[in-house]
Short mmCIF file of all heavy atoms in Angstrom, two decimals:
data_model
loop_
_atom_site.label_atom_id
_atom_site.label_comp_id
_atom_site.label_asym_id
_atom_site.label_seq_id
_atom_site.Cartn_x
_atom_site.Cartn_y
_atom_site.Cartn_z
N ASP A 217 88.52 121.34 126.67
CA ASP A 217 88.62 120.55 127.89
C ASP A 217 90.09 120.32 128.21
O ASP A 217 90.79 119.61 127.49
CB ASP A 217 87.90 119.22 127.69
CG ASP A 217 87.82 118.40 128.97
OD1 ASP A 217 88.40 118.83 129.99
OD2 ASP A 217 87.16 117.34 128.96
N ALA A 218 90.55 120.93 129.28
CA ALA A 218 91.96 120.82 129.66
C ALA A 218 92.33 119.40 130.08
O ALA A 218 93.51 119.03 130.08
CB ALA A 218 92.27 121.79 130.79
N GLU A 219 91.32 118.59 130.42
CA GLU A 219 91.58 117.22 130.87
C GLU A 219 91.51 116.21 129.73
O GLU A 219 91.60 115.00 129.97
CB GLU A 219 90.54 116.84 131.94
CG GLU A 219 90.47 117.78 133.13
CD GLU A 219 91.78 117.84 133.89
OE1 GLU A 219 92.43 116.77 134.01
OE2 GLU A 219 92.16 118.94 134.34
N VAL A 220 91.34 116.66 128.50
CA VAL A 220 91.19 115.74 127.38
C VAL A 220 92.45 114.89 127.21
O VAL A 220 93.57 115.35 127.41
CB VAL A 220 90.89 116.52 126.09
CG1 VAL A 220 92.05 117.42 125.70
CG2 VAL A 220 90.54 115.58 124.95
N SER A 221 92.22 113.63 126.84
CA SER A 221 93.33 112.69 126.68
C SER A 221 93.99 112.86 125.32
O SER A 221 93.34 113.17 124.32
CB SER A 221 92.82 111.25 126.81
OG SER A 221 93.80 110.32 126.43
N ASN A 222 95.31 112.65 125.29
CA ASN A 222 96.06 112.68 124.03
C ASN A 222 96.46 111.28 123.58
O ASN A 222 97.32 111.13 122.73
CB ASN A 222 97.31 113.55 124.19
CG ASN A 222 96.99 115.03 124.23
OD1 ASN A 222 96.84 115.68 123.20
ND2 ASN A 222 96.85 115.57 125.43
N ASP A 223 95.82 110.26 124.14
CA ASP A 223 96.19 108.89 123.83
C ASP A 223 95.98 108.55 122.36
O ASP A 223 96.66 107.68 121.81
CB ASP A 223 95.38 107.91 124.69
CG ASP A 223 95.76 107.98 126.17
OD1 ASP A 223 96.82 108.57 126.46
OD2 ASP A 223 95.00 107.47 127.02
N ARG A 224 95.03 109.20 121.70
CA ARG A 224 94.75 108.93 120.29
C ARG A 224 95.30 110.03 119.39
O ARG A 224 94.84 110.23 118.27
CB ARG A 224 93.24 108.79 120.09
CG ARG A 224 92.66 107.58 120.81
CD ARG A 224 91.15 107.53 120.67
NE ARG A 224 90.61 106.38 121.38
CZ ARG A 224 89.32 106.19 121.63
NH1 ARG A 224 88.43 107.08 121.20
NH2 ARG A 224 88.90 105.14 122.28
N GLY A 225 96.26 110.76 119.86
CA GLY A 225 96.81 111.87 119.10
C GLY A 225 96.18 113.18 119.55
O GLY A 225 95.40 113.22 120.51
N LYS A 226 96.53 114.23 118.88
CA LYS A 226 95.98 115.54 119.24
C LYS A 226 94.45 115.51 119.16
O LYS A 226 93.89 115.05 118.18
CB LYS A 226 96.54 116.62 118.32
CG LYS A 226 98.02 116.89 118.52
CD LYS A 226 98.49 118.05 117.65
CE LYS A 226 99.96 118.35 117.91
NZ LYS A 226 100.44 119.49 117.09
N PRO A 227 93.76 116.00 120.20
CA PRO A 227 92.29 115.90 120.25
C PRO A 227 91.59 116.93 119.38
O PRO A 227 90.93 117.85 119.86
CB PRO A 227 92.00 116.11 121.74
CG PRO A 227 93.11 116.99 122.22
CD PRO A 227 94.33 116.58 121.44
N PHE A 228 91.71 116.76 118.06
CA PHE A 228 91.03 117.66 117.13
C PHE A 228 89.51 117.64 117.39
O PHE A 228 88.95 116.62 117.76
CB PHE A 228 91.26 117.23 115.68
CG PHE A 228 92.69 117.12 115.26
CD1 PHE A 228 93.11 116.10 114.42
CD2 PHE A 228 93.63 118.04 115.70
CE1 PHE A 228 94.43 116.01 114.02
CE2 PHE A 228 94.95 117.95 115.30
CZ PHE A 228 95.35 116.93 114.47
N VAL A 229 88.86 118.76 117.17
CA VAL A 229 87.40 118.82 117.19
C VAL A 229 86.89 118.62 115.77
O VAL A 229 87.27 119.36 114.86
CB VAL A 229 86.90 120.18 117.75
CG1 VAL A 229 85.38 120.28 117.62
CG2 VAL A 229 87.32 120.33 119.21
N TYR A 230 86.05 117.61 115.57
CA TYR A 230 85.56 117.28 114.23
C TYR A 230 84.17 117.83 113.95
O TYR A 230 83.83 118.09 112.79
CB TYR A 230 85.55 115.77 114.03
CG TYR A 230 86.93 115.17 113.84
CD1 TYR A 230 87.18 113.85 114.20
CD2 TYR A 230 87.97 115.91 113.30
CE1 TYR A 230 88.43 113.28 114.02
CE2 TYR A 230 89.22 115.36 113.12
CZ TYR A 230 89.46 114.04 113.48
OH TYR A 230 90.70 113.49 113.31
N ASP A 231 83.30 117.96 114.98
CA ASP A 231 81.94 118.41 114.68
C ASP A 231 81.33 119.07 115.92
O ASP A 231 81.69 118.75 117.06
CB ASP A 231 81.07 117.24 114.24
CG ASP A 231 79.82 117.69 113.48
OD1 ASP A 231 79.80 118.85 113.00
OD2 ASP A 231 78.88 116.90 113.34
N VAL A 232 80.39 119.99 115.67
CA VAL A 232 79.65 120.67 116.74
C VAL A 232 78.19 120.78 116.35
O VAL A 232 77.85 120.78 115.18
CB VAL A 232 80.23 122.09 117.02
CG1 VAL A 232 81.66 122.02 117.49
CG2 VAL A 232 80.12 122.97 115.78
N ALA A 233 77.31 120.87 117.37
CA ALA A 233 75.87 121.02 117.11
C ALA A 233 75.24 121.80 118.26
O ALA A 233 75.50 121.51 119.43
CB ALA A 233 75.20 119.66 116.97
#
Side-chain angles (χ1 to χ4, degrees):
D217 187 355
E219 304 299 322
V220 64
S221 169
N222 286 276
D223 292 345
R224 295 176 181 169
K226 292 184 177 181
F228 304 142
V229 174
Y230 287 153
D231 200 18
V232 298

